[in-house]
Amino acid sequence: MYMVESKEGAIACMVLSLCFLGTFPALLTLLERRGRLPQHTYLDYSITNFLAAVIIAFTLGEVGKSSDASPNFTQQLSQDNWPSVMFAMAGGVALSLGNLSSQYAWAFVGLSVTEVLICSIIVVIGSTLNYFLDNKINKAEILFPGVACFVIAVCLGSAVHSSNTADNKAKLNSLSANSDKELKPIDVAGFPSRVESTDPENADGSLRKAEAGTADFLVQLENRRSIKVFGKGTVIGLCLTFFAGVSLSLFSPAFNLATNDQWHTLKKGVPHLAVYTAFFYFSASCFVIAIVLNIIFLYRPLLNLPKTTFKAYLNDWNGRGWAFLAGFLCGFGNGLEFMGGQAAGYAAADSVQAFPLVSTFWGVVLFGEYRRSSRRTYVLLVSMLFMFTAAVGILMASSGHRKP
């Protein structure tokens, strides 16, 4: 069984994890903006997300010699370690619910701000819990100022969302005034009818008709995407975001308990779960919850999405390759995060929550988020990203080293 034993190796795992975890949300957002139903996308994503855990378990989890104190993956499957297995599976449930909520929040709040808000909440709650679970191996005088910076980033992120929503409403009101030749308030919920429906397969062509950030761009995007957001308040997006943040903040502490047994739930002589074994159970529960919920959502969709069927899902190959890739990126990203956390402490491993910086890059470059926004929105956005970056740097500086 391969183990990361150095601080440098742990940081390398975190950096690679950061890149993977920052890219998969952009792929899922891309598919939603092209009109693919989120239930279809998430079912595909869940399959490869679990497959990544299986690959890691049967490769890194089986490398090298095993011993009674450090058994390989397949040996642990038959051991009496169910208390730790339950912690790992509880973490998987939290991850599944959090990622599922995030998929809908991206449509309402935007990829950049959603990820910063969620990850800041994860660090504020999750890193604090991990600090005490890890027997305080991280430097508290560095860790908690970093946590405070994340709290500020959450507040700034909420302000960015409110400001950007006001900007978009102003753009849409201006479009209505120009087209009707009179200035009067409008209901943005009526805008989709102004643009003819487009085929999701040819969705890119629709966007080229309008410059990113303009009112026409917003109307065309709304008409094409699968999750309709016009006419819905900012509260819905923020509620989804905060629920996702709280759910995702619990998966890392649960995984920490699964691998280190701080509460001494295992019988005497039973070795702790290896990272790879815990990750397998973690991903298995995540997979089951995702499959069950999304099959239900096919027939009872959320947020007024159209109903679909399992047969329609099986026949929907539009963007399936991107959804599979997103699942692999998330699966390998989470696995690398846990490998780094086992070596350097899970509180410090939460520094991979810097992945919104990668997501922001994709959001601005690929999706044109915050183009033609007000100066106030830009100032808030830059302030949020600056505070978030500083917080991540401080969190990395708090890294300790777990004693064998």
Side-chain angles (χ1 to χ4, degrees):
M1 177 176 58
Y2 175 77
M3 294 295 294
V4 178
E5 297 180 349
S6 66
K7 182 176 179 179
E8 292 75 16
I11 291 175
C13 287
M14 295 177 201
V15 171
L16 194 56
S17 173
L18 183 153
C19 295
F20 288 174
L21 294 177
T23 300
F24 93 85
L27 296 178
L28 298 184
T29 300
L30 175 65
L31 294 176
E32 185 275 323
R33 286 179 169 231
R34 288 184 172 181
R36 193 169 197 245
L37 291 174
Q39 308 97 303
H40 293 188
T41 298
Y42 206 84
L43 285 168
D44 289 336
Y45 153 89
S46 300
I47 293 170
T48 49
N49 184 60
F50 178 56
L51 184 57
V54 174
I55 292 172
I56 289 174
F58 281 100
T59 54
L60 297 179
E62 291 291 307
V63 171
K65 296 181 179 180
S66 64
S67 63
D68 292 338
S70 182
N72 283 339
F73 165 68
T74 52
Q75 290 177 305
Q76 287 208 305
L77 293 178
S78 60
Q79 292 178 344
D80 187 13
N81 46 28
W82 280 104
S84 293
V85 168
M86 296 306 294
F87 281 123
M89 296 181 74
V93 171
L95 178 72
S96 188
L97 293 176
N99 279 345
L100 186 58
S101 301
S102 299
Q103 188 181 24
Y104 291 91
W106 293 328
F108 286 92
V109 184
L111 181 62
S112 306
V113 173
T114 300
E115 292 305 300
V116 169
L117 284 172
I118 288 175
C119 293
S120 296
I121 296 170
I122 290 173
V123 171
V124 170
I125 300 176
S127 292
T128 302
L129 293 174
N130 279 324
Y131 171 74
F132 291 102
L133 289 174
D134 281 337
N135 198 27
K136 304 178 182 180
I137 67 173
N138 301 98
K139 304 178 183 68
E141 66 276 11
I142 300 177
L143 176 66
F144 288 107
V147 171
C149 289
F150 279 109
V151 174
I152 297 173
V154 169
C155 297
L156 290 171
S158 299
V160 171
H161 176 50
S162 298
S163 180
N164 191 57
T165 300
D167 292 344
N168 289 340
K169 286 183 178 179
K171 293 173 187 176
L172 294 169
N173 283 331
S174 175
L175 177 62
S176 178
N178 291 336
S179 61
D180 298 337
K181 296 184 179 180
E182 59 181 8
L183 294 172
K184 60 181 181 180
I186 59 169
D187 179 7
V188 294
F191 268 108
S193 61
R194 297 171 58 94
V195 181
E196 291 184 2
S197 177
T198 58
D199 184 352
E201 296 263 359
N202 301 314
D204 287 344
S206 139
L207 272 184
R208 295 192 187 100
K209 295 178 182 178
E211 186 177 350
T214 63
D216 287 330
F217 175 90
L218 296 174
V219 172
Q220 290 179 6
L221 174 61
E222 175 71 6
N223 188 62
R224 186 190 63 183
R225 72 188 318 162
S226 59
I227 302 175
K228 306 302 181 184
V229 300
F230 280 2
K232 296 183 174 67
T234 59
V235 175
I236 295 177
L238 290 177
C239 287
L240 286 168
T241 301
F242 278 90
F243 176 79
V246 173
S247 296
L248 291 170
S249 69
L250 301 177
F251 82 79
S252 181
F255 195 91
N256 194 350
L257 285 166
T259 55
N260 294 300
D261 191 35
Q262 291 92 336
W263 291 351
H264 308 292
T265 56
L266 292 176
K267 295 179 180 179
K268 188 176 180 179
V270 177
H272 293 175
L273 278 188
V275 171
Y276 310 108
T277 310
F279 186 50
F280 172 80
Y281 285 115
F282 171 93
S283 299
S285 65
C286 181
F287 172 74
V288 171
I289 293 295
I291 295 298
V292 171
L293 288 180
N294 279 280
I295 288 179
I296 292 173
F297 293 157
L298 291 176
Y299 300 94
R300 296 180 178 273
L302 302 174
L303 301 172
N304 296 320
L305 285 166
K307 290 184 178 181
T308 181
T309 63
F310 190 72
K311 182 179 180 180
Y313 156 68
L314 294 176
N315 292 328
D316 181 11
W317 286 90
N318 178 33
R320 175 158 284 164
W322 291 115
F324 283 157
L325 177 59
F328 276 124
L329 289 174
C330 183
F332 285 116
N334 283 329
L336 288 165
E337 177 187 357
F338 294 141
M339 289 167 62
Q342 187 64 16
Y346 285 95
D350 282 339
S351 60
V352 303
Q353 302 308 328
F355 72 76
L357 299 177
V358 180
S359 296
T360 297
F361 171 80
W362 291 120
V364 172
V365 172
L366 188 61
F367 305 131
E369 291 183 348
Y370 307 108
R371 301 279 179 88
R372 297 175 176 265
S373 292
S374 65
R375 179 178 296 179
R376 180 175 184 270
T377 298
Y378 285 135
V379 170
L380 288 170
L381 179 64
V382 171
S383 300
M384 176 193 72
L385 293 175
F386 173 79
M387 188 59 64
F388 188 81
T389 304
V392 169
I394 294 171
L395 198 65
M396 284 188 170
S398 75
S399 297
H401 183 71
R402 190 183 305 278
K403 297 178 180 179

